[in-house]
Amino acid sequence: MSGGPLSGRRVAVLGAGLAGLAAALECADLGAQVTLVERRRRLGGLTWSFRHNDLEVDNGQHVYLACCDAYLGFLDRIGAAGDVVPARPLDIPVVAPGPGPGAAPVVGRLRRRDLPVPLHLAGSLLSYPHITVRDRLMLGRALLGLTRLDLDDPALDRITFGEWLSARGQSAEAIAAVWDLITVPTVNLPAAEASLATAAMVFRTGLLSSPAAADMGWSRVPLGRLHGEHAGRALERSGVTVMRQTRVRSVSPLSPEAGWQVDLDGGGLAVDSVVAALPHEEATEVLPAGVVPGQDLWPRLGSSGIVDVHLVFDRHVMTDPVIAGYRSPIQWVFDRSESSGLSSPERGNSQNGRQYLAVSLSAADDLLGRRPESLVADAAREVVRLLPAAREALVVDSLVTKERRATFRAAPGSNRIRPPARTARPGLVLAGAWTATGWPATMEGAVRSGRSAARALAGIGDSSIPAADPAATFIQKLPHVPQEVA
């Protein structure tokens, strides 16, 4: 695009995760000459895929909600909107093991109705079998309290979500069975460790902004294709130069007023502006010391890991596309047969009757050191407890993937450390899900950060990104040794 507010500007975007991809495309749309630098061969950051035997496997499970406006806009921009399942009305089976050996699992559902907020959830919560009648009634007190919070109040970042819930009559059982069901996968911390500020934003936006806000969709294809391949073609169409397998060594100003030197493996770039879309650990290392107030505090954001156990069964054992587990080490289970290539609508059924399930374990720092065969055995045993159809099934293939630094730790105090896109130095902006997006470390937060950074360079607002409405808003012997990808 010529004639935009960044027309003629040379912009280096450092990092090709979702934040960097969104920033590079937005800068190009605003008229800039963009060079995107990525240390890996692939694009897409923490959303990637790889071949394992006859499967195309995602490193982790990612879903989107209907309230993820910026992410949906990004998919449309890169031509990937047709490769996701449109958001379906919230209806998640929550499965707990039966009360005794051989007993049927206890199944509740978290579902919404076409009623005003918060009545849209009342039916499922009042009949939820995993907590007592008293706890069900007390849920309303906490939901009402969430609607009254001022999300801009810095005091919310001083206590945990668990402390706040306990003060409003939420029992340990209710926190585990209801609140952590959502807090753990979205914040990547349990309520007992998560900042109230971040968790409250999740519930206010994802559940209480509109009846359909939490409707859920996911990719029909491997994430590497959905994000990396589609984005690669969009970047080429937009004239963006992409430098892969190139590590950023340092960034330094060319003069006190304007211009930046980006030192790379085997060379460098002289540019007018830089979008640093790097993880906070890398940004701390490559940016000049003191260029951003509070920069020395970024390492305190830390990290929280995610582990996925991938199981291929010799038959179909799960009929729902996704379930949540309760009173089980299993958190969420996804049927990824279609996206992996194991089955497809064109084939009509799965290859040889097999089914591929991905068990997603967030806030999993205590599992990162476990051997893959141990994780596989535990996950398979728990699937059998939750899914009776798996009792006679065999696991014929398995794999463990680990993202050791999947997200920053959104603990109390983290919000005051997260920096805005704009820095004090002209021509330098920050992007990444760890920056001050108002969101936890999600795909939506990453895309929002990239677009905000590009618009900060251009000196324009972010009105095109709709804002969240805070006011409404086996014990069987395995026939192989499972592998691990870290």
Side-chain angles (χ1 to χ4, degrees):
M1 171 181 171
S2 60
L6 292 179
S7 181
R9 293 270 290 275
R10 298 166 301 164
V11 177
V13 178
L14 313 181
L18 296 189
L21 294 174
L25 289 167
E26 189 79 3
C27 285
D29 290 346
L30 294 171
Q33 302 171 24
V34 182
T35 300
L36 177 62
V37 183
E38 170 54 47
R39 64 182 177 87
R40 304 177 183 89
R41 182 189 299 272
R42 54 181 168 79
L43 308 178
L46 293 177
T47 62
W48 56 285
S49 311
F50 58 95
R51 293 293 302 180
H52 171 72
N53 296 332
D54 60 342
L55 303 179
E56 190 79 14
V57 176
D58 294 332
N59 68 311
Q61 308 315 304
H62 296 267
V63 301
Y64 72 90
L65 302 183
C67 61
C68 294
D69 306 292
Y71 176 70
L72 289 168
F74 171 76
L75 292 181
D76 187 62
R77 174 66 178 82
I78 65 176
D83 280 338
V84 297
V85 174
R88 300 177 176 181
L90 178 68
D91 188 359
I92 303 295
V94 184
V95 186
V106 179
V107 182
R109 302 192 83 89
L110 181 62
R111 59 157 64 105
R112 63 95 168 172
R113 300 296 189 189
D114 289 324
L115 295 170
V117 173
L119 297 178
H120 67 310
L121 298 173
S124 66
L125 294 179
L126 289 174
S127 61
Y128 196 62
H130 301 309
I131 55 177
T132 66
V133 173
R134 178 191 178 278
D135 281 343
R136 295 175 207 169
L137 296 173
M138 291 299 291
L139 290 172
R141 180 182 177 189
L143 287 170
L144 183 60
L146 283 170
T147 65
R148 294 173 174 172
L149 289 176
D150 176 5
L151 297 187
D152 293 325
D153 184 353
L156 273 58
D157 195 39
R158 296 176 190 148
I159 64 171
T160 69
F161 188 39
E163 290 171 328
W164 185 88
L165 289 171
S166 295
R168 278 143 192 87
Q170 305 302 293
S171 69
E173 291 76 17
I175 292 174
V178 179
W179 302 101
D180 271 346
L181 195 70
I182 296 169
T183 305
V184 170
T186 56
V187 183
N188 205 17
L189 288 176
E193 300 177 37
S195 167
L196 170 58
T198 303
M201 180 272 163
V202 167
F203 283 88
R204 284 274 290 274
T205 304
L207 283 180
L208 300 174
S209 61
S210 75
D215 290 355
M216 184 184 296
W218 51 86
S219 179
R220 300 183 191 272
V221 301
L223 291 173
R225 190 184 313 167
L226 180 72
H227 297 148
E229 293 181 18
H230 276 297
R233 291 190 287 270
L235 291 166
E236 183 177 3
R237 291 192 298 268
S238 298
V240 175
T241 300
V242 181
M243 302 177 66
R244 305 177 191 237
Q245 294 182 283
T246 303
R247 183 179 294 274
V248 178
R249 294 298 182 183
S250 65
V251 176
S252 54
L254 286 173
S255 71
E257 291 79 25
W260 294 87
Q261 175 70 24
V262 181
D263 291 323
L264 310 169
D265 285 337
L269 290 173
V271 294
D272 301 304
S273 304
V274 171
V275 180
L278 301 167
H280 65 275
E281 301 94 342
E282 288 187 50
T284 301
E285 294 177 1
V286 306
L287 294 180
V291 71
V292 182
Q295 183 178 342
D296 57 323
L297 300 178
W298 295 350
R300 296 188 187 179
L301 288 172
S303 62
S304 187
I306 296 177
V307 171
D308 280 76
V309 182
H310 309 262
L311 305 172
V312 179
F313 289 87
D314 65 348
R315 67 196 72 184
H316 275 254
V317 301
M318 190 171 87
T319 57
D320 293 286
V322 57
I323 68 169
Y326 174 57
R327 290 183 177 152
S328 166
I330 283 182
Q331 296 169 7
W332 290 76
V333 185
F334 298 85
D335 180 0
R336 302 303 289 160
S337 302
E338 181 180 339
S339 70
S340 71
L342 186 64
S343 69
S344 70
E346 290 76 18
R347 294 194 183 108
N349 50 50
S350 63
Q351 293 180 359
N352 304 317
R354 293 180 295 163
Q355 186 176 32
Y356 161 34
L357 302 183
V359 178
S360 181
L361 305 168
S362 299
D365 288 353
D366 59 331
L367 301 179
L368 294 175
R370 291 268 306 275
R371 294 182 60 83
E373 55 264 36
S374 172
L375 291 167
V376 165
D378 285 354
R381 183 185 302 111
E382 289 300 316
V383 168
V384 169
R385 295 179 70 208
L386 300 182
L387 300 171
R391 290 172 183 170
E392 303 300 322
L394 291 173
V395 174
V396 295
D397 197 4
S398 65
L399 181 73
V400 173
T401 54
K402 299 177 180 179
E403 287 293 350
R404 299 176 183 275
R405 295 181 175 181
T407 68
F408 71 94
R409 296 183 66 83
S414 58
N415 268 10
R416 68 181 181 86
I417 298 175
R418 298 172 69 183
R422 194 182 305 274
T423 72
R425 296 298 298 266
L428 175 65
V429 294
L430 305 175
W434 62 278
T435 60
T437 64
W439 287 68
T442 57
M443 297 189 297
E444 174 73 6
V447 172
R448 281 177 176 265
S449 76
R451 294 185 63 180
S452 295
R455 287 165 175 265
L457 276 185
I460 58 179
D462 224 6
S463 58
S464 70
I465 305 178
D469 178 10
T473 122
F474 93 94
I475 305 208
Q476 306 150 340
K477 183 176 181 181
L478 299 178
H480 61 283
V481 176
Q483 302 176 40
E484 175 180 329
V485 177

